[in-house]
């Protein structure tokens, strides 16, 4: 594993205000509408604001908003899955969809709202909600008063403890520390994310973005766990470390995490 002294940035040839990747993504969606949808009618389009288990993949600029417009123009409703991105984790905004400057028709949420307690919710427009009354729909735990009390307390804590601001400050610190770590290890192909939703993609060849062997990723992951650091794994090849810590973590916790990661990467090449 060779050392690299250059600061690693993410280069881009697009002109100011333009995003070729966003245009390509949109063309693919247009192709799907044109060639794969019967009668070109669409039911619904689901999107996370940043893909979570998908490997902390951020959409290109100017993709999601026109994608929503395209779906709506073909009769579909647009659903934002905020299970991972919601409740201030992205730091700059309370909801991930706000970072794309759009308003969904339906928002699904869970995890963060319960802070570990099993709780989920769906929020939608009165127009869509009224249709729920025309279908048979029930949940064993729906409207559970204990879960509702937990959710309400968690919302208060998010506000009182300033966890959104903490996600912004500590998350940015974390990402910058990881970018520094990327300069030490060529095995780190990419560092991406926002706030405390961070992905570290592991590769065997940074230029070609060849995924690191899943066995080596597994060893690094176990090694980190043994040293006291729990992270997730995801992405198409399962080679992206997914870092999504509690939103109350400190810069000291981050320094500990970086030290553990450095040691695990060093161990993997010894
Ligand atoms: C982004 C996202 N959406 C939905 C789900 C599923 O949520 P639930 O278990 O509440 O159905 C998950 C679970 O991990 C998730 O990460």
């Amino acid at each position: 594993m060779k050392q690299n002294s250059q600061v690693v940035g993410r280069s881009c040839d697009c002109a100011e205000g333009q995003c070729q990747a966003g245009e390509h993504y949109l063309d693919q969606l247009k192709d799907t509408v044109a060639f794969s949808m019967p009668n070109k009618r669409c039911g619904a389009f689901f999107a996370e604001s940043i893909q979570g288990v998908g490997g902390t993949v951020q959409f290109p600029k100017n993709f999601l908003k026109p994608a929503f417009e395209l779906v709506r123009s073909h009769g579909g409703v647009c659903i934002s899955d905020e299970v991972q991105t919601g409740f201030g984790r992205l730091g700059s905004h309370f909801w991930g969809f706000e970072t794309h400057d759009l308003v969904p028709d339906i928002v699904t949420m869970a995890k963060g709202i319960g802070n570990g307690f099993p709780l989920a919710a769906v929020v939608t427009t009165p127009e869509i909600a009224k249709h729920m009354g025309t279908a048979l729909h029930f949940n064993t735990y729906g409207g559970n008063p204990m879960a509702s009390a937990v959710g309400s307390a968690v919302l208060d804590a998010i506000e009182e403890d300033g966890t959104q601001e903490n996600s912004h400050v500590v998350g940015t610190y974390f990402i910058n520390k990881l970018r520094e770590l990327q300069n030490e290890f060529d095995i780190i192909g990419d560092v991406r994310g926002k706030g405390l939703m961070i992905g570290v993609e592991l590769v065997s060849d940074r230029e070609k973005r060849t995924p690191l062997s899943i066995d080596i990723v597994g060893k690094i992951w176990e090694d980190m766990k043994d040293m006291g650091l729990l992270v997730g794994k995801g992405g198409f090849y399962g080679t992206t470390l997914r870092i999504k810590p509690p939103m109350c973590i400190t810069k000291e916790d981050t320094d500990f995490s970086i030290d553990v990661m450095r040691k695990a990467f060093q161990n993997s090449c010894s």
Side-chain angles (χ1 to χ4, degrees):
M1 215 168 284
K2 99 173 139 47
Q3 305 284 304
N4 182 342
S5 59
Q6 251 190 334
V7 173
V8 179
R10 305 180 86 199
S11 58
C12 178
D13 313 324
C14 298
E16 184 75 30
Q18 266 212 324
C19 177
Q20 293 171 28
E23 287 160 19
H24 288 319
Y25 272 46
L26 201 59
D27 283 345
Q28 286 191 355
L29 190 61
K30 284 179 186 162
D31 280 353
T32 306
V33 171
F35 302 116
S36 305
M37 282 176 16
N39 304 324
K40 307 203 180 353
R41 299 293 295 165
C42 170
F45 176 79
F46 254 94
E48 294 177 83
S49 307
I50 295 178
Q51 288 182 346
V53 179
T56 319
V57 176
Q58 290 168 277
F59 286 114
K61 284 181 192 152
N62 301 329
F63 165 67
L64 215 45
K65 191 171 181 171
F68 272 32
E69 283 161 12
L70 181 71
V71 167
R72 283 177 175 142
S73 71
H74 289 272
V77 293
C78 296
I79 305 172
S80 278
D81 181 336
E82 292 285 342
V83 167
Q84 295 197 23
T85 45
F87 299 98
R89 174 166 294 281
L90 303 190
S92 60
H93 297 79
F94 195 78
W95 299 113
F97 62 77
E98 293 174 282
T99 66
H100 294 280
D101 186 28
L102 49 82
V103 180
D105 304 301
I106 300 174
V107 182
T108 56
M109 55 193 80
K111 294 199 208 302
I113 193 179
N115 192 26
F117 198 88
L119 174 60
V122 177
V123 174
T124 187
T125 59
E127 169 64 19
I128 292 175
K130 79 175 183 225
H131 293 282
M132 296 300 283
T134 61
L136 177 64
H137 174 263
F138 68 95
N139 298 93
T140 304
Y141 299 112
N144 179 325
M146 167 95 82
S148 303
V150 170
S152 179
V154 170
L155 286 176
D156 288 343
I158 287 174
E159 196 169 61
E160 286 159 20
D161 298 352
T163 51
Q164 179 179 335
E165 174 65 9
N166 194 61
S167 294
H168 174 63
V169 174
V170 179
T172 305
Y173 178 79
F174 209 150
I175 290 172
N176 285 335
K177 286 277 163 192
L178 284 165
R179 293 227 162 104
E180 285 170 28
L181 198 64
Q182 189 178 14
N183 290 323
E184 293 177 43
F185 297 98
D186 284 353
I187 199 176
I188 303 180
D190 192 25
V191 174
R192 52 181 178 255
K194 193 164 165 49
L196 283 172
M197 179 145 179
I198 304 170
V200 178
E201 186 178 328
L202 301 182
V203 295
S204 57
D205 183 319
R206 192 186 278 168
E207 284 300 309
K208 295 187 188 147
R209 293 287 278 275
T210 315
L212 189 63
S213 129
I214 193 72
D215 290 343
I216 303 178
V217 176
K219 280 190 190 121
I220 292 171
W221 194 65
E222 290 290 336
D223 203 15
M224 287 184 196
K225 187 184 73 181
D226 293 344
M227 288 188 271
L229 179 66
L230 296 178
V231 299
K233 259 189 299 174
F236 195 72
Y237 303 102
T239 47
T240 297
L241 302 176
R242 296 191 302 116
I243 303 174
K244 222 161 304 147
M247 287 161 57
C248 57
I249 67 158
T250 61
K251 287 185 177 173
E252 288 70 34
D253 296 325
T254 300
D255 291 340
F256 167 78
S257 308
I258 295 288
D259 288 346
V260 168
M261 291 174 96
R262 178 181 289 108
K263 185 85 188 103
F265 292 142
Q266 281 166 350
N267 290 347
S268 77
C269 50
S270 61

